[in-house]
Amino acid sequence: MIIGTAKESYRADEALLTTQPQRVWMAIFLAALVALPFALNDYWLYLACLVAINVTAATGLNILTGFTGLVSLGHAAFMAVGAYTVAWAETRLGTPFFINLIAGGLVAAAFGILVGLPSLRVKGLYLAIATIAASFILHFCFIHFDGITGGATGINVPPLSIFGIELATYFRLYWVIMPITAVMVLGAANLFRTRIGRAFIAIRDRDISAEVLGIPLLRYKLMSFSIASFYAGMAGGLWAYFFRVVTPESFPLLTSIFLLAAIIVGGMGAIIGGIAGAIFMTLAPELLRFGMEWISPLVPNAGALLSPVRTVVFGALIVGFLIFEPQGLAEIIQRIRRYFRLWPFRT
Amino acid sequence: MKTTRRMAMGLLAGAASLGLSMGAAQAQEDIVIGGSLPMTGVFAFAGISIEAGMSDYIKLVNDAGGIDGKMVRLAYEDTGYKVDQSVAVFNKLTSQEEIHLYYGDSTGFAKTIAPELVRKGSMIMGGASFASELNNPEAYPYAFIPGPDYTEMVNILLEYIAKEKPGASIALINSDTEFGRDPIAAAKARAAELGLDVVLEIITPPGSVDVSTEVLKLRRARPDYAISHGYILAPQPEFMSQAKALGLETKFMGTFWSMDSSLWKTVGETADGYMGVMPYRYYYDDADNAPMLDKIREMRPEYQSTGYMQGFLSAMLMVESAKRVLAEGKEMNGANLKAAMNTIKDFDTGGIMGLPISMPGNSIPVGRVYQFSAAEGKMLPVSDWINVE
């Protein structure tokens, strides 16, 4: 049981991990991330990598939508920009992996700024539609700028290699994808300890008040767009190395909705929300497979009959979260923490 | 923050142990055909019938004693026709079972998993995709297409047109997707070789329903034939009814995935005269030497769609390759299975395809042109089997 946390400096107050148990758990968590690939088979490693990529993308969207209050349905298009940039650089320039990835992030960020321009004038649903429009324009470009994007068939990406070591297996890819995700999440968490992050939150809560407080709206909104797009671009770049082929159909509008659903289910405006949401949205349908597997001996022709059930249950779970915990998984996690803070002396 | 991470970890660890334990429990004796099948989502109608076709053929094989005494089993899961889920299913199944034969659900998945197939080198893969890109044994050494690829399908139609009406004018109608754009360039080249005149190219946005402006273009060009590709059904009926209303005599044609007769039956009178290429026989086809069709009708008294035939033949090709590898006492791996599949020459499919088939490369470039008769509610053959090898 923790009775209180004494903080003796502003530095301590701002720290990401404020208590000893937090630090211990974080250390255990990081150790577990390191140990994970040795314990998992290819299927779970694949999912772990996919979760990591989705966590990066969802965290980016969370910065934009959850923290700055700007709704975007174009996030998948920014991922696509990152993925194409990486695929193009890898196949045409042959530049090293890390440069490609950063380039993917930066090019996506540039597009983000462009797409974010209307955000000064339009908000809410209108902005959502504007970002959808932008994603359709980008989709058009992906199909028609053959010389760069490979047209409808897209670009096949050679396996990622670092210092001549080919990273083609999920086991090896994990060691690239997971650390980058960890750094990206750490970056996002730190962002909200700075003036910039606080400005984002002020804009979300009431943009006019924020402007009165001396926050230049255009600059900060565009900054939020560019940071979010950078995250999306990085995630897209990792995606390109992970799936090894990028086509115009790789990042449909549904991906944007998936990410938006992830941060809503996870909890908007909390870093942990983006993480939990991405994990939930990626793993829940897969875990439901096992549920279906357990019931399937009881049902004749189980494959055909139970497959739709899985989709329905997944949908119901999302609706359930929205009804019973509108604050998302992040709030449930907080509640569990509060419980254990007083454990074993429950109030 | 700590508890979340702990939860996430717990979830992952629990899931991991689950996956590992399930993997160990499976029997290793069977020959397993793995499948990423779209049982839900936009392609569910095909996925469900493909599964039925594959299961039925496997049942026939097992009833006849299996391969070398080994039973064949289909292990598949739903993908919702999403690439990331297809890959997840692939990884799940290959982690749980020893799999040398695999059925994939989309072009996207086939392209994504291709490098992994090469790396693993343990299996061959067919699937629902007839993408021309996959018909390249160098780039896709372990892939096969259970029929003609999309380019070959269009070529079959062009051959038919060149024979029926030399010098005919043609419009190409394609959806703005990878699927839709697949055969365009090759079709134009082949049409030029055959002396056919491509007078119009129409690209429709995916999911478009209103085609009135495109029909006006058709009216101006007045092509003899319009070959559409990249659709299941819509917007083809729309094209046909509007063209008919404008008094156009254009004959509309399509490719395999839009050739199911139960789909066109729902369209009604407008569908009359729709033509297209079909690599397999229809469930109701009259054929003298088609014992497999008889067996299918015996097992399933009601109509089975084109996807069923595709799944049935896919399973047949897989089983035949496995049989040949085992007969030679070789190891079941990608290279041996593919080599065995390439030895398939003048092979009798029991009437599923009208000609004895050969697979020298990645595809079987054989098909036949059928035409829909609204009165009978059936697709009727209007050409002989055409080989465009």
Side-chain angles (χ1 to χ4, degrees), chain B residues 169 199 217-225 246-250:
Chain B
S169 58
V199 289
K217 286 184 205 159
L218 267 185
R219 185 169 72 164
R220 249 173 276 144
R222 291 200 171 269
D224 300 314
Y225 292 90
L246 289 172
L248 288 179
E249 297 207 341
T250 306

Side-chain angles (χ1 to χ4, degrees), chain B residues 266-296:
Chain B
T266 60
V267 175
E269 197 52 41
T270 308
D272 196 54
Y274 179 81
M275 281 191 268
V277 57
M278 172 73 177
Y280 321 113
R281 278 214 171 91
Y282 281 91
Y283 174 81
Y284 42 68
D285 266 12
D286 282 326
D288 292 336
N289 48 359
M292 279 300 175
L293 275 186
D294 294 336
K295 276 185 190 158
I296 289 171

Side-chain angles (χ1 to χ4, degrees), chain A residues 190-231:
Chain A
N190 271 323
L191 180 67
F192 295 96
R193 297 163 65 199
T194 65
R195 181 192 150 77
I196 297 171
R198 284 191 294 270
F200 287 172
I201 295 170
I203 291 171
R204 174 192 68 191
D205 290 344
R206 176 66 67 184
D207 56 353
I208 296 173
S209 311
E211 196 164 27
V212 172
L213 288 171
I215 296 167
L217 284 189
L218 179 64
R219 197 193 319 157
Y220 278 92
K221 280 185 172 178
L222 291 187
M223 204 185 288
S224 180
F225 256 103
S226 66
I227 293 172
S229 308
F230 180 79
Y231 272 73

Side-chain angles (χ1 to χ4, degrees), chain A residues 21-22 25-26 29 32 36 39-44 46-47 50 143-144 152-153 156 168-170 185 243-245 247 249 254 272 275-276 279 283 285-287 289-290 293-294 301 303-304 307-308 310-311 333 336-337 340, chain B residues 1-9 11-13 15-16 18-20 22 39-40 48 51 76-80 82-85 87-89 91-92 95-96 108 111-113 115-116 119-120 133 140 176-179 181 206:
Chain A
Q22 274 186 348
W25 280 113
M26 183 54 89
F29 175 71
L36 210 54
L40 299 185
N41 64 15
D42 259 1
Y43 171 53
W44 294 105
Y46 164 80
L47 288 177
L50 192 63
I143 292 179
H144 293 274
T153 48
N156 290 313
T169 59
Y170 298 125
V185 171
F243 284 101
R244 305 269 300 275
V245 60
T247 74
E249 283 153 47
L254 212 59
I272 195 74
I275 300 170
I279 292 174
L283 288 188
E286 294 300 323
L287 292 177
R289 281 188 201 287
F290 292 99
E293 234 163 59
W294 286 323
N301 195 14
S307 298
R310 193 173 63 97
T311 317
I333 292 160
I336 296 171
R337 280 183 66 185
F340 276 105
Chain B
M1 199 169 275
K2 59 177 182 180
T3 333
T4 331
R5 308 254 158 137
R6 188 168 58 191
M7 266 186 73
M9 261 311 301
L11 204 70
L12 272 175
L18 207 75
L20 291 172
M22 303 215 62
M39 307 302 281
T40 60
I48 291 166
E51 190 271 329
Y76 72 96
E77 294 213 16
D78 172 42
T79 65
K82 294 188 190 108
V83 173
D84 55 349
Q85 285 203 32
V87 180
V89 168
N91 287 317
K92 177 166 184 278
S95 305
Q96 288 174 352
K111 282 163 70 169
T112 303
I113 212 70
E116 182 68 7
R119 197 184 63 76
K120 275 190 152 82
E133 192 184 345
Y140 297 96
D176 198 0
T177 56
E178 184 180 4
F179 173 31
R181 287 176 172 270

